[in-house]
Amino acid sequence: MTTQAGPAAAERATDGQKIVPGPRGVPLLGNLPEFGKDPLAFFERLRERGDFVSWRFGRGRALFIAHPETIGELLTEVERTFDQPDLGIAFRTLLGNGVVVAKGADWRRKRSLVQPSVRPKQVRSYAATMAECAVALADRWSDGQRVDVKKEMAALTQLIAVRTIFGVDTAADADAIGRAMDIAQKEIGAEFSGIGALLPDWVPTPGRARIKRATAVIDAEVSRVVARHRDGDTDRPDLLSRLLAARDETGAHLSDQEIRDETVTLYIGGHETTSSTLVWAWHLLSHNPRVGAALTEELDRVLGDEPGFDDYARLTYTQAVVKETLRLYPTIWLLTGIAREGAVLGGMPIPSGTRVWSSQWATHRDARWFTDPEEFRPERWGATGGEVPEEIPEYAWFPFGGGPRVCLGTRFAMVEAVLVLAVLARRFRLELDPGEIRPVPSLTLQPDREVFATVRARADRPTRNAR
């Protein structure tokens, strides 16, 4: 089931698939100017042309894929017939050579050391912290209060991150860390989709200077906390303590640089991505009172006291709200790989060196896989008895990637978003200020402006709800 864009211009593959030419580019830069102007709209236009669309990222050969089956092939073949690409100096400056960036045997070693820290058993131990932090925020909110939603969600998820990762209540300078992360995100997005993507690493630019300064702030805080851990109790439940204690098959620990890289990677996964998801969830709920009513009905029916890890599985509609938010506003909005010799997608040989792109944004909004794809409808995930769930193909929804390099923090992020939303939505609804909010694709998908709202206490909330 593919969208076709005119047989005259297409190259036919042996199994009937087609590679459709993309928009005409410009000399040397290819389609980079159009891509950089609005990457999300660019990928949607490519999807409308077909499931296999050729384009030019600078002078390099690029292929956009949109079909879930082919996306699944790409994701499962990374580390075999596709390489993890170099995502640029800005990305590496922030993340170093952590598990997201590492390749081959180095990636496999690091994954084996990091993965035990985010297994379900460990996430269970972090759930209480997630709920406690959310309750503390709810206790500070009051009816009629004006809040900056982005700032509130960022502060909340940052507190959860520093407590679960570092085992402390606050960073030395939480505001400075937050500002540094904001700068890093912005500069990575600008570098990745602009002319900086084609410049050698050694070329100095103002953006690269800004990300170096921001990373230095982050590094100083990580170094301080790591030093505190090394001097203190090593038998602690936080993620950093587990990384410090981890040993590979040779008995070697992670080096100081590797600890730094993995800690920053986990911090971004546990703070930046969940913060963004929660902001988009409040945005969608504010414009969809029917969904808000269904959400609070479940929270009143399921929960007794404040939610914990055991409630996560019972909060099926709340999970669906988060899933649907991630469908419409996927935090990670694109994935890419580079073909090795012998790479094949959809039965079609892919020339070595071709950079293959897929976009969660484009595929998640494809009407072939989702009825009324622009509509916010959690019921499509089968969370209520009144509506038949949609048959959604595997890899039509892939906000956390997939295959061997699927995000290690998937469970952590889902549990965190569900529990935080449950705590806050059970007591309040947010009336967002009017006006359009547009997504900006940087390191994660962020709103293009501040998001202010008025807090409204739920007048219909039960005073007590026994299970």
Side-chain angles (χ1 to χ4, degrees):
M1 186 176 183
T2 58
T3 304
Q4 300 190 6
E11 305 170 24
R12 185 172 297 278
T14 56
D15 66 347
Q17 293 282 5
K18 293 180 178 180
I19 298 179
V20 179
R24 186 182 299 276
V26 299
L28 300 179
L29 298 179
N31 300 114
L32 186 59
E34 185 180 359
F35 168 72
K37 182 178 180 181
D38 190 342
L40 303 179
F42 177 75
F43 283 136
E44 286 196 278
R45 288 194 293 272
L46 293 188
R47 185 200 67 205
E48 290 169 359
R49 287 174 174 258
D51 285 329
F52 289 82
V53 183
S54 62
W55 62 292
R56 290 281 176 178
F57 187 73
R59 290 185 292 179
R61 182 190 297 115
L63 176 67
F64 172 75
I65 59 173
H67 197 286
E69 289 184 5
T70 315
I71 291 168
E73 289 182 49
L74 171 65
L75 294 175
T76 55
E77 284 299 311
V78 169
E79 295 298 324
R80 287 196 290 266
T81 57
F82 287 88
D83 282 325
Q84 177 81 352
D86 181 354
L87 297 177
I89 184 64
F91 200 86
R92 280 184 277 109
T93 298
L94 179 63
L95 293 183
N97 194 39
V99 68
V100 172
V101 179
K103 304 175 184 179
D106 184 39
W107 166 75
R108 287 189 288 274
R109 171 181 173 268
K110 289 175 178 174
R111 185 178 179 87
S112 70
L113 290 169
V114 175
Q115 192 167 28
S117 300
V118 288
R119 284 176 176 159
K121 178 181 178 181
Q122 308 305 338
V123 174
R124 170 184 286 273
S125 70
Y126 308 141
T129 297
M130 297 170 183
E132 287 168 9
C133 292
V135 168
L137 175 61
D139 288 343
R140 292 195 299 272
W141 280 1
S142 60
D143 187 49
Q145 180 181 349
R146 295 279 294 160
V147 296
D148 180 334
V149 181
K150 285 177 63 176
K151 186 175 181 179
E152 293 283 281
M153 294 303 101
L156 172 59
T157 57
Q158 184 182 51
L159 180 59
I160 292 171
V162 297
R163 286 186 60 182
T164 56
I165 296 172
F166 300 130
V168 296
D169 283 337
T170 58
D173 191 341
D175 287 342
I177 296 291
R179 289 193 298 270
M181 279 293 180
D182 287 344
I183 292 169
Q185 276 215 81
K186 180 180 178 181
E187 296 303 336
I188 286 173
E191 173 97 4
F192 187 69
S193 59
I195 191 65
L198 303 181
L199 296 176
D201 289 356
W202 54 265
V203 175
T205 69
R208 290 177 178 181
R210 284 190 290 270
I211 198 170
K212 284 182 180 179
R213 290 194 295 270
T215 301
V217 173
I218 296 165
D219 286 352
E221 175 59 17
V222 170
S223 295
R224 185 192 67 79
V225 178
V226 169
R228 177 192 292 179
H229 272 64
R230 290 196 189 281
D231 294 338
D233 182 6
T234 59
D235 186 22
R236 298 168 59 172
D238 55 84
L239 282 161
L240 179 54
S241 294
R242 292 189 169 98
L243 289 179
L244 289 169
R247 294 176 180 266
D248 64 20
E249 58 186 12
T250 70
H253 289 287
L254 289 165
S255 68
D256 286 351
Q257 181 62 45
E258 288 173 327
I259 289 290
R260 177 266 173 210
D261 293 346
E262 302 309 337
T263 301
V264 171
T265 299
L266 289 168
Y267 181 90
I268 292 172
H271 164 41
E272 295 291 329
T273 58
T274 307
S275 172
S276 175
T277 299
L278 288 166
V279 172
W280 290 119
W282 288 118
H283 166 66
L284 291 165
L285 288 168
S286 181
H287 291 86
N288 293 271
R290 178 196 61 80
V291 175
L295 172 63
T296 55
E297 186 281 328
E298 176 181 83
L299 298 177
D300 292 343
R301 172 171 44 83
V302 170
L303 298 178
D305 297 322
E306 300 299 352
F309 183 82
D310 290 336
D311 295 303
Y312 174 78
R314 296 156 51 87
L315 294 171
T316 56
Y317 193 79
T318 314
Q319 287 187 48
V321 168
V322 173
K323 285 183 178 180
E324 186 72 344
T325 299
L326 286 166
R327 182 185 71 81
L328 286 168
Y329 295 99
T331 310
I332 305 301
W333 52 278
L334 70 82
L335 292 170
T336 179
I338 298 178
R340 296 180 185 175
E341 194 70 37
V344 174
L345 288 175
M348 190 186 316
I350 306 299
S352 177
T354 300
R355 188 158 180 167
V356 181
W357 303 69
S358 63
S359 170
Q360 290 93 329
W361 175 273
T363 298
H364 287 188
R365 291 170 178 256
D366 193 326
R368 293 175 295 174
W369 324 124
F370 300 96
T371 305
D372 300 320
E374 301 297 324
E375 182 181 340
F376 179 55
R377 189 158 55 81
E379 290 80 6
R380 72 175 78 246
W381 299 98
T384 66
E387 185 170 340
V388 176
E390 295 183 8
E391 294 184 8
I392 300 170
E394 187 177 14
Y395 294 111
W397 182 83
F398 58 114
F400 301 103
R405 296 189 74 110
V406 66
C407 175
L408 289 174
T410 296
R411 183 75 167 181
F412 185 104
M414 282 296 299
V415 170
E416 180 181 12
V418 166
L419 294 185
V420 167
L421 193 61
V423 168
L424 298 177
R426 190 182 184 202
R427 294 164 62 173
F428 303 100
R429 59 184 175 85
L430 297 184
E431 292 180 354
L432 268 64
D433 289 359
E436 184 180 12
I437 301 174
R438 295 175 56 85
V440 176
S442 55
L443 177 61
T444 57
L445 202 63
Q446 294 288 327
D448 67 341
R449 62 176 177 83
E450 293 177 319
V451 181
F452 286 99
T454 301
V455 175
R456 297 298 183 195
R458 283 187 56 209
D460 61 338
R461 180 194 171 203
T463 57
R464 182 174 180 81
N465 183 38
R467 295 182 181 176

